[in-house]
């Protein structure tokens, strides 16, 4: 039964260790540098608890990036580099919603008209490119083709983007049969992008085929069979209303204003005074019912204004007007004419003042006035559209202290498709300033870092003259606190890895020999860790709905590059940050990394860490040869700007003089791994050796990366052996042994085959070529051939170093819960065995003491009894002794504390009873009076040969053997023979 249990236990331990190793293998990746070019704003993204991604390995790396404001050319470059190898690739086009179709440009389409009529059968759609600026020149911008689909048929037309604004308008005339149903209908609008061509318009003519699923949706437009009214009604007083046109008027175009009477109008005379500025004049006044009313027109010209006085008299009974609503009846039509002079302005307003006067009013009485402005424009402006370079904004201002903004332009759309930018007399306002703000010049929306939250679809209103437009954007705000991730939160000393520099806090030693001085100048290196600062970004839905996360609730954005200037270690003596991304241990202690707000100095994120003096060992050096790199890019579906880059290291049979880069990972005994790029290249002593002579030569040193030149040209895989040493100044004695080593195969490694074990001989081993890279440039260029004598010398050094266990003993590893339980059970078993052994020893000793020494010689003799007297009364002890046994003859109980020349105990000579004690005996009596005494009295039978007739004798411990009484005499401080003699006489006299 015990064997199966032990087997299962061993299996569990093996599984636990294998799981720990697999977890360590999942944390490695190819440390290739990935960067985006021509992408002004982008972030690296990662899933919570999934870094590096599962598809990363020692020879590959996969990263996800988020492009927020892509280059409008849609051709940002992705570069992957691991010197000396570099590759780059164009980012694929964005995926558009809802079909997730890849398009080469980021385009926004805005439908200008919501409805069209037979009088104005034109559907207008504005297209503009989002993102940053684009290169000048008309040849770089595409064309946009608009498709209108109706049950009757399909119509299409294209426009080419203008370089100045990056926009164009398609004015598509809908066929007349589409309006012949008599009831409102709908037409679906969609568009496609196509390259520009040479010729008029710059766009291809296109065919009449249905675009189908390839077109991107825009929306729909309503087809109305009748023209909707395009006027507004303004009351002049309680009984008179004015109806004026609600559209801009072009120079030289006449227009008409209508005066309407309500049913409660009872006056018979009505005077209407109209005052206009120069550039606008009243031409005629026409009565709707000349049989009932008469009108008189008088004009008065002034220096600045022209006034027109229209007087109307009722000449007959008023009847209902069938063309007017029951509550209103038309009275008068006033015709106006706009002069051609507009001073070249895009649009100007002409005020018209209307004033009613009734008979019987006092001259100074306050009269009702109404000022109406008519928009006069040289162009037929149909809409005002704000153009923003992006529709979403990631608010990083709370992290950096720098405002983020999106530029905005306001353009007008004319009949015919012309565009014009508006820069003056603009008004704007943000609907929620706690999320997004707008500049005073209305040319940008921005966040300053004081905003409290994010939101989706926040509205910003713009207006110019009588035209109004709105822009909706999404603002993503960071959720605090920030998340700080460390690749290792406990930094320990690396056993055997010494680097130049004095030990922190150690006193300066005295000068000695050169070797000792160099050893004192080296210290143990602490581990290093990578630092990443992550943040989730979220926005509230419209109407206070559920919180939405950028990319998803399990995605985080890397903001390390943004908060690096504001990140620090609380105690710089314990650890320090290098470049905001590498954590370096300095001395033992506990501290934390914190990120502070540049606006309020508040802590945005914090992560505790510890630096200990525990030792860890470098167990393994994992090596990946890189002979080239491959890059693959793919678009994601969680966000239109999501891009995933996957890079692989190429490794094959080397060519002639092939340059090879070696990616190195250090595996420590605490189950952590770290790339060699985390450590200073001056602290790395790396060497590369091959089994074939002259197969490896060192390459130019560049950073912490190890590069070699391989002769190559063979057909078999070439193994490269890489070893990690301390830097050259700290290699002495035991430190010459490599800290760790690893092997990399150039090509497919051979399948291992079992072979008989043969005794190794230094003479039979082939020479190896070694290329080293240490802390100094000289070490990087050293190339030599190892012979059998060097190997024998190294073997001797290795044996000597094995005897020194201080540095070569592996550091204790971190135990798992399973191992902890096993150790606890083992300790309990050992403790139980120890208790059993102690009990056995006590039992044996107890029964051995109870057995008399002379039982076998005289079984009939009485057993001895040991009595212990506890007390300070010496006289009472003497009386008890007198009762128990007669006094022994004098001379048998002598104190053996003093020894003679021959080693015999000298018995003290008793003095007469009346003699006075000396100073030594007086001191002994004082010592006896200060402490309690314990007298041991033994009653034992005397040997028959000496005392045949005497009863059992009473013998005091004071007259015992020398070995039994020596401790008593020494405890009393009596060492002089004279003092001992006096002391024993006093004892015997009292007994």
């Amino acid at each position: 039964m015990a064997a199966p249990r032990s087997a299962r236990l061993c299996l569990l331990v093996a599984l636990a260790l294998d799981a720990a190793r697999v977890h360590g293998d999942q944390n490695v990746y190819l440390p290739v540098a990935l960067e985006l070019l021509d992408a002004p704003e982008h972030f690296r993204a990662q899933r919570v608890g999934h870094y590096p991604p599962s598809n990363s390995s020692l020879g590959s790396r996969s990263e996800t990036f988020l492009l927020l404001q892509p280059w409008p050319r849609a051709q940002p470059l992705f570069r992957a580099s691991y010197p000396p190898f570099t590759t780059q690739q164009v980012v694929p086009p964005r995926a558009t919603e809802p079909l997730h179709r890849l398009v080469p440009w980021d385009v926004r389409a805005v439908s200008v008209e919501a409805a069209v009529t037979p009088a104005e059968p034109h559907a207008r759609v504005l297209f503009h490119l989002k993102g940053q600026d684009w290169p000048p020149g008309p040849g770089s911008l595409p064309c946009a083709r608009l498709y209108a689909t109706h049950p009757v048929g399909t119509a299409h037309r294209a426009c080419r983007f203008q370089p100045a604004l990056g926009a164009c308008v398609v004015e598509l005339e809908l066929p007349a049969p589409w309006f012949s149903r008599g009831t409102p209908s709908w037409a679906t609008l969609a568009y496609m992008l196509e390259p520009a061509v040479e010729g008029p318009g710059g766009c291809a003519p296109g065919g009449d085929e249905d675009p189908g699923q390839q077109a991107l949706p825009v929306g729909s437009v309503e087809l109305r069979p009748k023209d909707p009214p395009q006027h507004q009604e303004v009351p002049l007083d309680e009984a008179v209303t004015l109806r004026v046109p609600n559209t801009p008027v072009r120079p030289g175009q006449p227009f008409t204003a209508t005066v309407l009477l309500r049913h409660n109008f009872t006056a018979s005379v009505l005077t209407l005074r109209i005052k206009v500025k120069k550039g606008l004049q009243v031409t005629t006044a026409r009565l709707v019912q000349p049989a009932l009313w008469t009108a008189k027109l008088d004009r008065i010209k002034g220096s600045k204004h022209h006034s027109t006085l229209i007087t109307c008299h009722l000449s007959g009974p008023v009847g209902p007007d069938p063309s007017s609503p029951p509550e209103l009846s038309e009275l008068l039509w006033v015709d106006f004419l706009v002069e051609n002079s507009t001073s070249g302005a895009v649009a100007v307003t002409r005020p018209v003042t209307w004033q009613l006067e009734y008979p019987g009013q006092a001259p100074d009485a306050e009269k009702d006035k109404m000022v109406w402005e008519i928009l006069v424009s040289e162009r037929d402006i149909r809409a005002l559209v704000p153009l923003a370079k992006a529709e979403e904004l990631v608010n990083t201002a709370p992290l950096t202290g720098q405002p983020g903004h999106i530029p905005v332009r306001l353009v007008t759309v004319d009949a015919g498709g012309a565009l014009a930018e508006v820069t003056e007399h603009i008004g704007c306002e943000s609907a929620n300033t706690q999320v997004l703000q707008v500049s005073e010049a209305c040319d940008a929306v921005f966040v300053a870092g004081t905003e409290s939250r994010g939101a989706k679809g926040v509205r910003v209103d713009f207006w110019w003259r009588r035209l109004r437009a709105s822009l909706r954007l999404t603002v993503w705000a960071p959720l605090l606190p920030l998340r700080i991730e460390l690749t290792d939160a406990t930094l320990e000393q690396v056993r055997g890895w010494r680097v130049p520099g004095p030990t922190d806090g150690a006193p300066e030693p005295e000068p000695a020999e050169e070797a000792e001085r160099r050893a004192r100048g080296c210290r143990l290196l602490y581990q290093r860790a990578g630092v990443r600062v992550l943040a989730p970004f979220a926005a509230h839905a419209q109407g206070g709905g559920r919180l939405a996360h950028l990319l998803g609730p399990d995605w985080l954005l890397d903001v390390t590059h943004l908060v690096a200037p504001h990140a620090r270690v609380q105690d710089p003596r314990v650890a320090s940050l290098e470049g905001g991304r590498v954590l370096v241990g300095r001395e033992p202690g506990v501290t934390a990394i914190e990120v502070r707000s540049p606006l309020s100095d508040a802590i945005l994120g914090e992560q505790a860490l510890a630096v200990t003096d525990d030792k860890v060992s470098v167990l393994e050096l994992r090596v990946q040869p890189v002979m080239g790199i491959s890059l693959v890019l793919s678009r994601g579906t969680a966000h239109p700007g999501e891009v995933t880059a996957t890079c692989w290291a190429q490794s094959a049979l080397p060519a002639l003089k092939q340059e090879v880069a070696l990616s190195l990972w250090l595996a420590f005994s605490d189950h952590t791994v770290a790339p060699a790029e985390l450590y200073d290249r001056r602290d790395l002593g790396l060497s590369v050796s091959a089994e074939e002579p002259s197969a490896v030569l060192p390459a130019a040193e560049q950073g912490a990366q190890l590069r070699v030149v391989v002769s190559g040209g063979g057909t078999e895989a070439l193994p490269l052996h890489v070893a990690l040493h301390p830097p050259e100044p700290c290699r002495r004695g035991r430190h010459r042994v490599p800290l760790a080593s690893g092997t990399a195969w150039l090509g497919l490694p051979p399948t291992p085959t079992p072979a008989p074990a043969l005794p190794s001989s230094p003479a039979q081993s082939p020479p190896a070529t070694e290329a080293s890279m240490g802390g100094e440039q000289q070490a990087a260029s050293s190339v030599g051939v190892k012979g059998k004598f060097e190997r024998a010398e190294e073997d001797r050094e290795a044996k000597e170093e094995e005897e020194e266990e201080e540095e070569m003993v592996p550091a204790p590893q971190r135990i798992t819960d399973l191992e902890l339980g096993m150790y606890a059970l083992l300790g309990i078993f050992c403790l139980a065995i120890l208790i059993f052994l102690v009990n056995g020893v006590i039992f044996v000793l107890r029964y051995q003491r109870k057995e008399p020494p002379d039982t076998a010689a005289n079984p009939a003799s009485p057993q001895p009894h040991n009595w212990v007297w506890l007390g300070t009364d010496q006289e009472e002890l003497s009386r008890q002794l007198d009762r128990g046994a007669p006094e022994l003859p004098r001379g048998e109980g002598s104190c053996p504390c003093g020894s003679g020349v021959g080693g015999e105990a000298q018995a003290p000579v008793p003095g007469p009873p009346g003699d006075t004690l000396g100073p030594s005996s007086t001191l002994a009596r004082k010592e006896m009076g200060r402490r309690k005494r314990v007298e041991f009295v033994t009653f034992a039978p005397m040997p028959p040969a000496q005392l045949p007739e005497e009863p059992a004798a009473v013998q005091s411990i004071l007259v015992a053997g020398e070995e039994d009484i020596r401790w008593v005499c020494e405890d009393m401080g009596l060492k002089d023979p004279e003092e001992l003699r006096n002391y024993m006489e006093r004892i015997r006299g009292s007994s």
Side-chain angles (χ1 to χ4, degrees):
M1 234 6 231
R5 288 182 179 177
S6 61
R8 285 196 296 267
L9 186 59
C10 294
L11 179 60
L12 290 176
V13 173
L15 289 176
L17 296 177
D18 185 67
R21 179 172 180 83
V22 169
H23 177 71
D25 292 341
Q26 291 178 351
N27 292 330
V28 300
Y29 55 88
L30 182 66
V32 60
L34 299 174
E35 57 181 342
L36 269 167
L37 306 178
D38 296 341
E41 187 176 4
H42 63 275
F43 293 89
R44 189 188 66 82
Q46 72 177 60
R47 290 184 180 272
V48 178
H50 291 80
Y51 188 82
S54 58
N55 57 346
S56 296
S57 63
L58 194 63
S60 64
R61 183 177 185 180
S62 180
E63 294 285 357
T64 300
F65 288 84
L66 179 65
L67 285 71
L68 294 175
Q69 293 185 6
W71 198 269
R73 290 177 298 171
Q75 293 181 347
L77 294 178
F78 218 115
R79 176 184 295 172
S81 59
Y82 195 85
F85 309 105
T86 302
T87 183
Q88 63 185 15
Q89 187 175 342
V90 176
V91 176
R94 293 168 61 100
T96 58
E97 297 289 348
L99 302 176
H100 300 294
R101 179 177 175 268
L102 300 179
V103 295
W105 296 83
D106 188 12
V107 177
R108 179 191 174 202
V110 181
S111 180
V112 176
E113 276 89 6
V116 294
T117 61
E120 289 288 341
H122 297 91
R124 300 179 180 88
V125 176
L126 182 145
F127 299 94
H128 77 96
L129 301 175
K130 295 185 293 183
Q132 301 299 308
D133 296 333
W134 43 87
S140 61
L141 298 180
C143 291
R145 184 170 297 277
L146 177 66
Y147 291 89
T149 305
H150 192 264
V152 178
T154 301
H156 64 88
R157 190 175 182 182
C159 70
R160 187 173 183 179
F161 287 92
Q162 302 176 10
L165 297 174
C168 70
V169 176
V170 174
E171 188 176 72
L172 178 59
E173 183 177 359
L174 303 182
W178 293 13
F179 300 91
S180 61
R181 290 190 173 187
T183 57
S185 59
W186 296 87
T188 303
L189 303 179
Y191 76 97
M192 292 180 59
L193 297 179
E194 57 186 35
V197 297
E198 297 294 336
C203 297
D208 296 334
E209 67 278 359
D210 189 358
Q213 298 294 331
Q214 297 181 355
L216 301 174
V218 175
S220 57
V221 61
E222 183 182 4
L223 280 65
R224 297 176 180 175
K226 295 182 179 180
D227 294 337
Q230 297 181 357
H231 59 260
Q232 60 178 346
E233 295 180 353
V234 181
L236 296 178
D237 62 6
E238 297 179 354
V240 181
T241 301
L242 182 65
R243 181 183 296 165
V244 291
N246 194 25
T247 57
V249 180
R250 304 185 66 179
Q253 176 183 354
F255 66 93
T256 301
T258 305
V259 179
L260 300 96
L261 302 179
R262 295 186 178 272
H263 63 278
N264 58 353
F265 182 80
T266 58
S268 59
V269 178
L270 175 64
T271 302
L272 182 62
R273 188 181 299 271
I274 303 173
K275 184 184 296 185
V276 297
K277 285 188 175 182
K278 290 183 178 180
L280 188 66
Q281 60 179 343
V282 178
T283 57
T284 57
R286 298 173 293 140
L287 290 171
V288 177
Q289 297 180 355
L292 299 178
W293 291 86
T294 59
K296 180 182 179 182
L297 179 63
D298 298 322
R299 294 184 176 89
I300 304 173
K301 294 184 178 181
S303 59
K304 295 182 179 181
H305 299 85
H306 298 300
S307 298
T308 302
L309 190 65
I310 303 175
T311 305
C312 299
H313 294 270
L314 182 62
S315 60
V318 179
D321 185 6
S323 62
S324 300
E327 66 275 6
L328 293 175
S329 60
E330 294 183 357
L331 170 65
L332 184 67
W333 294 323
V334 181
D335 297 329
F336 293 83
L337 178 64
V338 180
E339 297 178 358
N340 292 327
S341 176
T342 59
S343 302
V346 176
V348 295
T349 57
R350 301 294 174 86
V352 180
T353 304
W354 303 78
Q355 181 177 347
L356 289 177
E357 298 177 359
Y358 295 99
Q361 286 182 338
D364 56 350
E366 184 178 357
K367 301 179 178 63
D368 294 333
K369 294 182 180 180
M370 192 276 295
V371 179
W372 168 65
E373 292 183 347
I374 184 171
L375 182 62
V376 179
S377 175
E378 294 182 354
R379 307 194 320 264
D380 186 4
I381 301 177
R382 295 305 178 94
L384 177 69
V385 180
L387 305 181
K389 290 190 174 182
E391 294 181 336
E392 61 180 355
L393 175 64
V394 176
N395 187 4
T396 59
L399 309 179
T400 62
Q402 300 178 358
H405 67 281
I406 298 178
V408 178
R409 288 181 173 182
L410 285 179
V411 297
T412 56
V413 180
D414 297 355
L419 290 176
E421 185 177 1
V422 180
T423 58
E424 297 180 352
H425 308 291
I426 305 172
C428 55
E429 182 182 11
S430 174
N432 191 346
T433 57
Q434 295 298 321
V435 177
L436 186 64
Q437 304 182 49
V438 61
S439 62
E440 295 183 358
C442 301
D443 57 352
V445 291
F446 67 94
V447 287
T450 58
E451 295 76 16
S452 59
R453 62 189 184 94
K456 298 187 67 175
V458 60
R459 190 183 78 253
V460 180
D461 297 324
F462 298 89
W463 59 86
W464 176 75
R465 305 298 184 185
R466 294 184 181 181
L467 303 177
R468 301 184 67 91
S470 297
L471 179 66
R472 292 188 177 273
L473 300 100
T474 298
V475 179
W476 303 99
L479 298 181
L480 301 178
L482 300 178
R483 182 169 179 172
I484 303 177
E485 287 190 356
L486 304 178
T487 57
D488 189 2
T490 303
L491 305 182
E492 299 165 326
Q493 287 183 333
V494 184
R495 187 179 301 274
W497 195 346
R498 295 184 176 273
V499 295
T503 304
D504 296 336
E508 187 68 24
E510 297 179 0
E513 297 180 358
E514 179 65 19
E516 296 179 359
R517 187 191 65 81
R518 293 174 60 187
R520 286 195 301 269
C522 295
R523 57 178 176 84
L524 283 179
L525 180 71
Y526 284 96
Q527 289 177 299
R528 295 190 175 195
V531 181
R532 296 187 300 271
V533 184
L534 309 172
F537 284 81
H540 291 270
Q542 297 183 13
R546 189 172 58 180
L547 193 66
H549 291 78
L550 184 60
L551 289 179
D554 57 342
W555 281 92
L556 304 172
L557 297 187
D558 191 345
V559 294
T560 309
H561 61 289
L562 299 178
V563 301
H566 314 292
R568 67 179 183 90
V569 179
Q570 292 180 354
D571 190 352
R573 297 173 301 177
V574 176
S576 62
L577 274 176
E578 291 185 357
R581 293 182 177 271
V582 180
L583 180 65
V584 182
R586 297 297 181 189
E587 65 179 32
V590 178
T591 183
I593 297 179
E594 63 181 15
V595 178
R596 290 191 172 269
S597 170
L599 301 176
S600 62
D601 201 35
I603 296 179
L604 302 179
E606 189 175 13
Q607 174 63 45
L609 64 99
V611 180
T612 66
D613 54 1
D614 297 337
K615 304 296 189 301
V616 296
S617 301
V618 185
L619 298 181
E620 183 185 1
L621 194 63
R622 302 180 185 178
V623 187
Q624 171 64 44
V626 180
M627 303 173 62
I629 50 179
S630 302
L631 180 64
V632 174
L633 303 180
S634 60
R635 283 282 189 176
T637 58
H639 188 276
E642 180 185 357
V643 180
T644 300
T646 304
C647 187
W648 291 278
Q650 300 175 1
S651 179
L653 291 175
L656 290 175
K657 295 183 179 181
Q658 173 73 48
E659 188 171 6
V660 180
L662 299 178
S663 171
L664 306 177
W665 279 79
L666 311 179
F668 296 96
S669 57
D670 59 352
H671 304 299
T672 61
V673 292
E677 283 77 8
L678 285 182
Y679 292 86
D680 192 347
R681 65 176 183 84
R682 295 172 297 181
D683 298 337
L684 296 170
L686 300 171
S687 61
V688 183
S689 61
E691 296 180 356
E692 299 180 4
S694 304
V696 178
L697 297 175
E701 182 180 357
Q702 183 172 357
Q705 297 167 350
L706 181 59
R707 297 163 54 186
V708 295
V709 177
V710 182
S711 60
T715 58
E716 296 181 358
L718 176 64
L720 297 180
H721 306 287
V722 184
L724 172 65
H725 299 266
E728 183 64 27
C730 299
R731 297 185 193 178
R732 186 182 67 86
R734 67 176 72 92
H735 304 296
R736 292 187 179 275
V737 178
L739 299 175
S741 61
T743 302
W745 286 87
L746 301 182
L748 187 64
T751 304
T753 56
L758 298 176
S760 60
S761 174
Q764 296 177 357
S765 59
T769 304
E770 181 179 15
S772 301
M773 170 185 168
E776 299 178 354
Q777 186 67 24
Q778 292 83 357
S781 60
S782 62
V783 179
V785 179
K786 293 183 178 180
K788 58 181 180 180
F789 300 104
E790 294 181 357
R791 291 202 172 192
E793 182 180 356
E794 288 186 358
D795 292 341
R796 287 197 303 271
E797 292 180 358
K799 292 180 180 179
E800 293 176 358
E801 292 164 4
E802 289 178 357
E803 298 175 358
E804 302 178 3
E805 298 181 357
E806 177 184 357
E807 295 293 340
M808 301 311 297
V809 176
Q813 302 181 4
R814 295 179 181 176
I815 60 177
T816 61
D817 295 339
L818 178 61
E819 294 172 337
L820 183 62
M822 294 171 53
Y823 293 150
L825 289 177
L826 183 59
I828 293 174
F829 293 155
C830 294
L831 181 61
I833 294 173
L834 181 61
I835 293 175
F836 175 76
L837 293 177
V838 171
N839 286 338
V841 172
I842 293 175
F843 178 80
V844 172
L845 294 177
R846 180 182 301 172
Y847 281 90
Q848 283 181 353
R849 291 181 180 178
K850 287 186 177 183
E851 184 179 355
D854 53 347
T855 304
N858 190 7
S861 63
Q863 299 294 329
H865 300 279
N866 296 329
W867 298 86
V868 180
W869 172 260
L870 300 176
T872 59
D873 193 350
Q874 183 67 26
E875 296 180 0
E876 182 66 25
L877 174 61
S878 301
R879 285 194 292 271
Q880 296 293 338
L881 295 176
D882 292 340
R883 296 191 195 100
E887 183 179 358
L888 294 176
R890 189 173 289 277
E892 297 178 3
S894 60
C895 182
C897 294
S899 59
V901 178
E904 300 290 340
Q906 297 180 1
V909 179
D915 291 348
T916 305
L917 299 176
S920 300
S921 61
T922 305
L923 179 60
R925 183 180 298 275
K926 289 181 180 180
E927 293 293 335
M928 292 169 57
R930 290 194 190 102
R931 70 181 73 176
K932 291 183 180 182
R933 295 189 58 191
V934 179
E935 298 290 346
F936 294 83
V937 180
T938 304
F939 300 90
M942 298 300 296
Q946 297 179 2
L947 298 173
E949 297 178 359
E950 292 292 330
V954 179
Q955 185 180 9
S956 173
I957 196 172
L958 297 177
V959 294
E962 179 181 358
E963 295 301 330
D964 298 329
I965 199 64
R966 179 177 296 175
W967 65 276
V968 178
C969 299
E970 292 179 356
D971 184 71
M972 297 299 297
L974 305 175
K975 298 181 180 179
D976 188 65
E978 186 65 26
E979 293 180 359
L980 295 175
R981 197 174 294 112
N982 295 338
Y983 175 70
M984 296 305 299
E985 283 295 327
R986 181 178 57 81
I987 294 301
R988 292 182 182 279
S990 61
S991 59

